[in-house]
Amino acid sequence: MADTLDMTLELVMIPVSDVDRAKEFYTRVGFNPDHDSVVDANTRFVQMTPPGSNASIAFGRGIVDGEPGSIKGLLVCVSDIEAARAHLLDQGIEVSEVDVQPWGHFVYFADPDGNAWSVQYLPYRYA
């Protein structure tokens, strides 16, 4: 099946406590607000995509189970870790110092609920 079927990661659902606050935060991070739809009084769906990505995140009201802030280990890749860190800082987002590891360079941040992200730079891709 793996030889004949393409599978792409499309969407990761993220539990948040305040939809508008999350949308504003991820817009500051640089994600594109692709979709924001109120289905009914109990359901709202927001989809946002990091620049250059084919996969998105989604959050809202009435669409995802889970405790806000319970998602850890989300990762985006960048071509310039220092520029990414500077962008996050410029947007008022608390971000770690650059963590240089043998397999890549990282900075870390979390959304207002505590959903945790890593930003990864792989030097060998850009050498």
Side-chain angles (χ1 to χ4, degrees), residues 77-81 120-122 126:
C77 292
V78 296
S79 60
D80 185 333
I81 196 71
Q120 177 186 51
Y121 164 70
L122 299 172
Y126 303 98

Side-chain angles (χ1 to χ4, degrees), residues 1-6:
M1 186 164 120
D3 292 337
T4 61
L5 181 65
D6 287 339

